[in-house]
Amino acid sequence: MKITKVVLTGANGQMGQAMLKVLDNESDIEVVGAVDVNGGMPLNKVLGNDNPLKVEVSLAEVLANTQPDVLVDFTNARAAVENASEALKRGVRPVIGSTGLNTEQVSLLHSLCEENRCGALVAPNFALGAILMMRFAVECSKYFPDCEIVELHHDKKIDAPSGTAAATARMISESRTAANSPVEHREKTLGVRGGEIFGVPVHSIRLPGLVAHQEVIFGGEGETLTIRHDSLNRSSFGAGLVLAVRKVLNLDRMVIGLENLL
Ligand SMILES: NC(=O)C1=CN([C@@H]2O[C@H](COP(=O)(O)OP(=O)(O)OC[C@H]3O[C@@H](n4cnc5c(N)ncnc54)[C@H](OP(=O)(O)O)[C@@H]3O)[C@@H](O)[C@H]2O)C=CC1
Ligand SMILES: O=C(O)C1=N[C@H](C(=O)O)C[C@H](O)C1
């Protein structure tokens, strides 16, 4: 069996900790390195086994020493692009779970993939239910052009809107045949109608107690239709991430969205 060697960045974070365990449980995947700005933590504490590695600070050194196949990134938009750049120049394929990347950052990644003739995946959500929620939303938007997105996340989330909400809005805008919505905004209080992404109003809620949730609400004549997805804990992202690590090995270009690898 071919073993895929993986380095993970953002190892001290909420996703990093959860996904290290998920990856370590797969017999065809070996976690050969873990990196975070503060480094330090022994991996056996996270994994509950006798793994001799610890979280390191320098990604460049870890990549040089371990020569992995894949870099998994759960940091933030800026760090994700820098980390992917380090990986791509060594022929290591990035799987980027970090969100909040702007258009310039995405096109820089495209160019880096082309220059280095190396594949990459940028996926704002690895949960299967979230992928289906986006797909169903696209389908509904053909019949109900009026819709709004409400995304609800834990209070430690640093970006808003969520990557999933931004992706959903983009996909809806690409498939809408008639864009009736939104009606003219009349805000007495600035921002009360949310922010508009690709013509779709998005409302971001951040509260303790939440994990990751999204509603896409469609309105029609005398009816509404709501599609809702809930990630109740971070294990919801595990199966999609494992699939991404396996599939990115066959990519020679950058792909956006796990739905394009299913
Ligand atoms: N695609 C998906 O399915 C999912 C994506 N996400 C996304 O993943 C990202 C991380 O989320 P989460 O784990 O909750 O966030 P956390 O803040 O808990 O973790 C991020 C970690 O990355 C560290 N970090 C920052 N910069 C670097 C760097 N240059 N190199 C290495 N490590 C770095 C942070 O350190 P410090 O705190 O010191 O800055 C922190 O420990 C977010 O963008 C989030 O939106 C989250 C869930 C699912
Ligand atoms: O930060 C999070 O937690 C999440 N981030 C991703 C996003 O921004 O869409 C995916 C999921 O919603 C959890």
Side-chain angles (χ1 to χ4, degrees):
M1 179 176 42
K2 160 106 178 71
I3 304 289
T4 302
K5 295 201 289 177
V6 173
V7 166
L8 183 142
T9 38
N12 292 345
Q14 302 194 80
M15 278 301 284
Q17 299 266 299
M19 294 303 108
L20 277 170
K21 284 188 205 141
V22 165
L23 294 168
D24 188 62
N25 269 335
E26 296 300 315
S27 54
D28 62 333
I29 295 175
E30 185 185 357
V31 177
V32 295
V35 176
D36 201 287
V37 270
N38 294 314
M41 188 185 302
L43 279 198
N44 57 16
K45 283 224 166 117
V46 186
L47 303 174
N49 60 16
D50 56 1
N51 192 308
L53 300 173
K54 69 177 176 56
V55 178
E56 303 288 347
V57 175
S58 166
L59 175 61
E61 277 176 23
V62 170
L63 293 176
N65 293 338
T66 61
Q67 308 205 336
D69 304 294
V70 176
L71 171 75
V72 170
D73 186 278
F74 287 106
T75 56
N76 57 56
R78 188 186 48 77
V81 177
E82 288 168 8
N83 293 341
S85 163
E86 282 292 336
L88 284 164
K89 68 186 181 200
R90 292 174 171 84
V92 178
R93 290 174 163 77
V95 169
I96 300 176
S98 299
T99 53
L101 279 69
N102 60 31
T103 326
E104 288 74 32
Q105 289 168 321
V106 172
S107 55
L108 174 59
L109 286 174
H110 262 297
S111 321
L112 288 167
C113 284
E114 273 176 21
E115 271 166 35
N116 294 286
R117 296 193 185 151
C118 193
L121 174 70
V122 179
N125 205 313
F126 289 111
L128 180 61
I131 304 295
L132 291 173
M133 175 253 301
M134 290 189 261
R135 186 184 287 177
F136 298 152
V138 166
E139 190 60 19
C140 292
S141 68
K142 294 176 191 158
Y143 307 96
F144 294 92
D146 295 305
C147 72
E148 303 208 4
I149 296 173
V150 184
E151 57 97 343
L152 311 92
H153 281 83
H154 57 93
D155 57 338
K156 303 285 183 301
K157 184 165 177 60
I158 56 169
D159 56 324
S162 70
T164 309
T168 312
R170 174 182 48 79
M171 289 160 76
I172 287 173
S173 78
E174 286 166 0
S175 87
R176 265 176 171 171
T177 44
N180 293 339
S181 103
V183 289
E184 190 195 337
H185 290 186
R186 291 183 204 95
E187 292 184 333
K188 266 194 184 167
T189 303
L190 190 66
V192 78
R193 290 286 293 115
E196 219 175 277
I197 304 178
F198 297 107
V200 180
V202 176
H203 310 264
S204 297
I205 291 168
R206 299 286 176 268
L207 284 172
L210 293 168
V211 180
H213 319 263
Q214 179 167 298
E215 286 188 356
V216 189
I217 309 171
F218 295 88
E221 195 55 48
E223 59 181 334
T224 67
L225 172 62
T226 302
I227 306 171
R228 181 175 171 113
H229 176 257
D230 297 277
S231 271
L232 302 174
N233 63 55
R234 290 178 178 78
S235 63
S236 59
F237 306 112
L241 175 63
V242 168
L243 184 133
V245 165
R246 291 182 182 137
K247 295 262 182 170
V248 78
L249 296 171
N250 302 321
L251 295 183
D252 57 4
R253 67 194 165 86
M254 186 171 118
V255 170
I256 297 181
L258 185 65
E259 62 279 9
N260 294 309
L261 298 187
L262 293 177

